[in-house]
Amino acid sequence: MLLNYIKIAWKVLLRHPFYTFITLFGISLTLTVLMVLTSFLDHLIGSHYPETKRDRSLYIMQMQLNDSSRTSRQSGPMSFKFLTDYAKSLKTPERVTICTLINSSNAYVGSQKIKLNTKFTDADFWRVADFEFLEGKPYNEQTIASGENVAVITDDLKKHYFENSSESVLGKDIEIETIHYKVIGVVKGSPVTRPFTYADVYFPYTAPKSNYQRNDMRGGYVAIILAKNESDRKEIQDEFQSHIDRIPFPGVQDGFKYATLEVKSEPYLENFMGPLLDGNAGLKTIFFGVIAFILFMLMGLPAINLVNVNISRIMERASEIGIRKAFGAPIRTLMWQFIVENIFITLIGGVIALILTVIVIHLINTSGWIAYADLTININVFLISLFVSLIFGLLSGVLPALRMSKLNIAEALRG
């Protein structure tokens, strides 16, 4: 029976090329947008190069200090010392790395200025993040302890800074902000959308201008905690919170008298969403309102249009429906036939959308809009897209099928 429904759907597609084009165009366009959006979200929050261990990582990005009345507050990254005392000292994790977010510097090639994004890190940074070293190796604890001015650069900076990018640059000098560094490694760069690992140049935290010596709590550093297993993250969060709870209150930070301190170790997505979700209710409402509006525009309007197209397509077959009803075809059978037909057509649109998505993703990855962009259609993106295709086909077929089921035989035969 299912095969017969599919054969009928195929015949209908061939019989009405205009409706077929309109239907497949709407389905393909909608699903292409959804697949690209899904791929982009996966690019943002999934475990990808060089943060391939996000599924067992926790992130500490900012602390928040509140006064006694909670009417004023300070928030931002922490000092190297604070993270050393309260994160690096944890016993449960496999490893903890401390690094800065993205800093800005300049370098010059002749008279040409190169704007650089730089990052100060400890040695564990290279063990938590899985960078691909194209040349050389990272700095280690011994290099840091000796206070050497060394740097790891990306392959992109190598092309822009050195005249002959085909030769090895290990041991060569690179001058940044009038300070000379010896290049000891070249890595494949991290996408700009991964602020914990993205940079053009990586320095040991003991390099000049790192400000790692600050003794107060605030600073420019963040941390990534790598658990031995994903299931260990709750235990790590509890241990980290127990360390934070030892901090005496009230206190003074840069002249600000604080009565409470909030700092959390959270999974990647929650780390960025947390400050927003903990904010005021109005901002939260606006944020989710915008998300709901975007989703409605992406799915709701195309779905409504597609329902209208399906109704027209099915009602155009009213005489066929009337004849089948006259010969005793039950309404449930007719409904299932049109729903199966719609899902079949939607899956065809899904295949076209998959091809279009591959093309769009390739264009995004090669356009340079996102440095080192690596959008892909992996198994998660594919399964989510397939699920959405089936739901989309089911939902857009139910209403036309219900409309068709209400036709009486005389009305249907009149067409």
Side-chain angles (χ1 to χ4, degrees), residues 105 118-121 139 150-152 176 181 201-205 207:
S105 294
T118 63
K119 187 181 289 292
F120 298 94
T121 83
Y139 40 82
V150 297
V152 173
I176 301 173
Y181 299 89
V201 188
Y202 302 86
F203 302 119
Y205 67 86

Side-chain angles (χ1 to χ4, degrees), residues 197-243:
T197 52
Y198 169 74
D200 298 306
V201 188
Y202 302 86
F203 302 119
Y205 67 86
T206 51
K209 302 182 181 180
S210 70
N211 293 322
Y212 82 98
Q213 304 95 335
R214 291 185 61 163
N215 289 320
D216 45 13
M217 295 192 294
R218 294 283 305 284
Y221 285 87
V222 296
I224 305 176
I225 302 173
L226 180 64
K228 296 171 185 171
N229 301 291
E230 185 177 352
S231 58
D232 291 343
R233 294 195 295 185
K234 180 64 172 65
E235 184 179 353
I236 293 172
Q237 288 177 302
D238 293 340
E239 184 185 1
F240 178 67
Q241 189 58 49
S242 69
H243 283 207

Side-chain angles (χ1 to χ4, degrees), residues 5 95 184 218 260 270 305 317 352 362-363 370 381:
Y5 289 164
R95 203 173 299 278
I184 63 169
R218 294 283 305 284
T260 64
E270 286 84 342
N305 287 332
R317 298 165 64 186
I352 298 173
H362 175 73
L363 292 176
I370 304 173
V381 174

Side-chain angles (χ1 to χ4, degrees), residues 19-93:
Y19 282 120
T20 300
F21 171 77
I22 295 297
T23 303
L24 291 180
F25 179 80
I27 294 173
S28 303
L29 184 63
T30 302
L31 293 181
T32 298
V33 172
L34 289 173
M35 286 184 187
V36 172
L37 182 62
T38 303
S39 178
F40 186 68
L41 289 176
D42 180 68
H43 166 85
L44 288 179
I45 63 178
S47 296
H48 299 290
Y49 176 87
E51 298 176 40
T52 56
K53 304 167 188 167
R54 275 187 182 171
D55 57 337
R56 55 187 179 101
S57 297
L58 293 168
Y59 295 77
I60 306 173
M61 192 169 72
Q62 71 171 357
M63 67 162 52
Q64 180 174 303
L65 303 170
N66 303 292
D67 66 2
S68 57
S69 62
R70 298 186 74 88
T71 55
S72 62
R73 65 183 181 184
Q74 290 186 352
S75 62
M78 297 132 283
S79 67
F80 188 89
K81 182 178 184 305
F82 177 87
L83 290 170
T84 300
D85 291 343
Y86 297 101
K88 202 79 172 178
S89 58
L90 296 175
K91 304 298 182 186
T92 310

